[in-house]
Structures are given as C-alpha cells and as structure tokens.
Amino acid sequence: MPYTLKPFFQEAQVPVVPDWFGEIILRHRKIADFKPRWEQVEGLNMGFAYPNLRCALFDEQGTGKTLPAQAFAIWQGATGNKIVCLMPRTLLRQFEGNLYFTYEGIHKHLRCEIYHGLPKERDAQVARWSSFGAPDIVVTTPGVFMKEFELFRLFKYQSLLMDEAKYLANPDSKICTAVDIFMGVEGEKYAMVLNGTPAKNTLEDLYGNIKFLTPKIYHGPRHFQNKHIEYKKIAIKVRGMKSTRSDNKMRNIDVIEDYKNLDELVDNLYKQARRVEKSSLNLPPLTEDTVPFDLSEAHKAAYEEFVQQRLLEFNDGSILDGTTSAGLRLAAFQSIMRPEILGVNEESLLLELIEELMLDAGIEKGGMNPTKVFLMAHYQKTIELLAERFKRFEPAIIYGKTSNPTRQKERFMYDNDCRLLIINYQSIAGLDGIQDVSYTGICAEPTSVPGDYDQARDRLHRGGQINPVQIYLPKPRGTLYVKAIHDLQVKKGWIDRVVSVRDFKEELLGMHDEEEVELA
C-alpha cells in the first residue's frame, strides 16, 4: 500500500492532520516503495516542537532535509498559515517541481507559486492574487522578500521557510531586518530554517542563527563576542595616509585568535535545532586528498619574483592594508592557473595535473555509463580557460553569467558526450542529482570558506550516491594555494568543534591529534 502524507505526520506526532493528507502519495525518483527515514520524521516533528514556533535543521548536505521542509510548508498552507519560502534563485523551480512531484496530488488541494521576475510581472501576479486569492505556498528569493515583505504581511502569510541559513549570519542586514519585521513577536508565526552547516565561514556566523531561533540568549553581538571569541591585536600599515612621523601610518586592528566556551555555544545553538550527519545514512566512503606538486621552474621563479617585488617596500614586517593585500592575493591566485599574467609563455602544470587526475578517474570511458567529473573553480577567467582546455569532454558550464543553469546540469546528467561539469562555488547550492552520474570532484582553485567547500563536496557525497566518492585538492608548493587549503582546514576545525556531534570516547582517550587538521 503506498505511503501517504497522513502517516508521515502521524509518525511525526503532529496533532492536527487534515483528512485529505491520506490522499497524497509520497514518491521518490529512484525508490519504488518510498517511506521517509527516521531523521526525516524527526525533522518534521521539530517544526512543531518548540513554544516559540521556530526551529532549524542544520543537517549535513545530502541527508534529505527537503522532504520534511516541504511537508512543513504543506501543513502551513493546509491549516491557513500561508507560507513564504525563501531560497536562492537557482532553487525556485527545483523546489516547486519537487513539491508537486514528491507529494502526488497536492495540486488538487494547495497552490504553490514562484514570485519572481520583472517588477511588472510581479505586479500582474499581485493583481491576480487580489482578485482570486494568494497562493498557499509562495516561493521567492531573499532579495525580493527584502523589498516586498510588507506585501506578504498584507496577504496574511503566517509562516516562513528559509533555505540557506547564511542569510541570517548578519543580524544587521536588510534581509534580517525584513525577516524580523515579518515574523513579529516571538511565538506568533512558524519558521523553519535549513542549512548544511550553520556556520559558512567562521563561528561568528552562528550569532545570527541563535538570535533568530532563541532571541533572548545573548543581549547583543558584543555579549556573544565576549562569551566566545578571543582576539589579538596586529599592526597594519595603511598606505596613503599621512602621519606627522612618517609617510605611512600604522593602525591596530583585532583579529580572531581562537574561540572559547564552545560547549555553551553548542548548547545554545542546538536548543531549537538539530544536526544529522551523513555517517548515519551508510553512504559510500568519501576520500579527500591534497595532491602536492611543483610548478615549472620558470613559472615558480616568475611567481616568486612577482610576490617579492610587490612586498619589497614592506620589508619591515608590517602587514599590507586590506585593499592592497586583496588585490595582490587575487593576482597571485590567478597567476597559478594562468602563467601568462607573469609573462611566462607556457601552460601551467596545474592544468596538466587536473587532466591527469581526470584521465585516472576514467573520463575517457565511453558507452552508456561514461565517467563524469565535477570540476570546481572561483574565477570567470579560470572557468573559461578550463572550458577551452578541456573542450574535448564537451563540458557543461555553470557560473554567474550562465543563462540556464538547469539546462547545463541536465546536459551533464543525461548527455553521454558531456563528461565534465565546470562550476564556480557560488553556483553550487541546491544542485541536486549530480550524485547520480558522478563521483569524482577536483578543486581547480581552492576556497578558504568551509561552507562553500562543503556545498561543493556534498553535491557528490549525498543520499543516492552508490559509488565511493573521491575529491582532489591540487596543492602547488610555494604558492598561495597552500595557505588557502590550510585556512580551509583550520576553519573547518573550528566549525566542526561546534556543529558536529563529537565522539566523546575519542576525546576522553586523547585520540585527537591536535597538530594535524583533517578535512574529513
């Protein structure tokens, strides 16, 4: 007998379940007799478990958060609490399509609409709402919501679903202000927040999540900082600012040295949130390898000369001001992949290494089940270079200017001649289905942002993956890549101390090597 929405809610111990939920059959694209897993039932239960009606699912990417989140949205629409669902633009149609597919027959009872597009298109949509009623579930972006949240209050939307909790990281931002006004007094409206990790970059990101979920724990950001962050002062030389003593002025700034009271931070974060780790899903193993190598002698010499020339005038040990150092990092980063920036007329050995890794993975294998590779990078110029260099694999390309990322994803998934997907980190969120066709990823350019790295890696290592997953991080010795990968490891170490369920046996037995920080 098919599993329906009604037993899903009954198992989740939700007290009010409309009778017609028994007509809605839950479907899965790959599982014939689909039934929610225990963590999906528990996730749905959490949407109704707290007195102030707010919760968060900080489950690792690929653990199935979407199913309980959409069920939560359906219940809100069915009980008169019309819901606004916020997510990146690239996820809008995917969310709507999955909702109608997964919950077969839901269209007979509820209306879901995407609210996006040009202002005149949205105006026409609002006019229809005024005449025929607003949809039970509306899907839009944080940017649109930020400008038009009063519209949703006008149409009496009473609940909120937010995919990508990173939008809450800065409580002073316009989007957080809009969310606060829309939500009103704590306990008036339901809210569910989703994210693969509550901290994208540093533990400071957690303050915004805690403030939204349980607003009274901290008196303000300074209280949070005093509780959990240790700073140290460093001197920065600010160029171009005149001083009575010298042509350059030194300025002291605070930088994060370490975090403290982490057990208390863990407790505060999870008072109304939970985290499910992929280890509970029995997924195939994940291997993450750094691959050290040397640039050519000419390339390395030009790189070193470039850096030393730019730093020569600062040989007193002072640190470059932020603007200058950011520009230098950008140029140094891009010159590793593109030696012509340094006047070196040869191809980077990094490209040769990437090709070698792809060939070892079997990218040239043809037939009905070709081997496909997931290639990640930062910059547009890099993506264009990779696309040209590996055009024989007919790559699909997704980055900021891609007009149709869905079509590119479908090419990669369904076109046997397309063996390679080249994508930038900012376009990765929500790119579901890649795990069906690929299990090898290469970071052509590293990122020092753990949240971006996790999103990228977990496009492959998630529910539905049947093969062991291999991720490669090329590391050219003596370059900025080394520092970027190290920063990634250190920041993940900080974040994992808070957002992961720690193994207390290992901790008590002293089995953690503090000198070695692992990515996994």
Side-chain angles (χ1 to χ4, degrees), residues 254-266:
D254 291 329
V255 297
I256 296 173
E257 184 172 38
D258 204 353
Y259 295 92
K260 58 187 178 182
N261 301 322
L262 293 185
D263 288 338
E264 181 181 351
L265 184 53
V266 170

Side-chain angles (χ1 to χ4, degrees), residues 383-384 387 395-399 402 404-405 408 411 420-423:
I383 291 173
E384 291 171 352
I397 302 166
I398 300 177
Y399 69 104
T402 304
N404 196 330
Q408 293 296 315
R411 273 194 63 228
L420 182 63
L421 175 60
I422 306 173
I423 189 167

Side-chain angles (χ1 to χ4, degrees), residues 30 78 86 180 203 208 220 233 240 243 261 269-270 275 389 403 413 420 430 448 453 476 509 517:
K30 298 175 67 176
L86 306 183
D180 284 345
L203 295 190
K233 291 189 179 296
S243 169
N261 301 322
L269 178 64
Y270 290 114
R275 181 170 179 81
R389 175 63 169 77
S403 58
M413 292 182 64
L420 182 63
S448 58
Y453 175 78
L509 293 176
V517 184

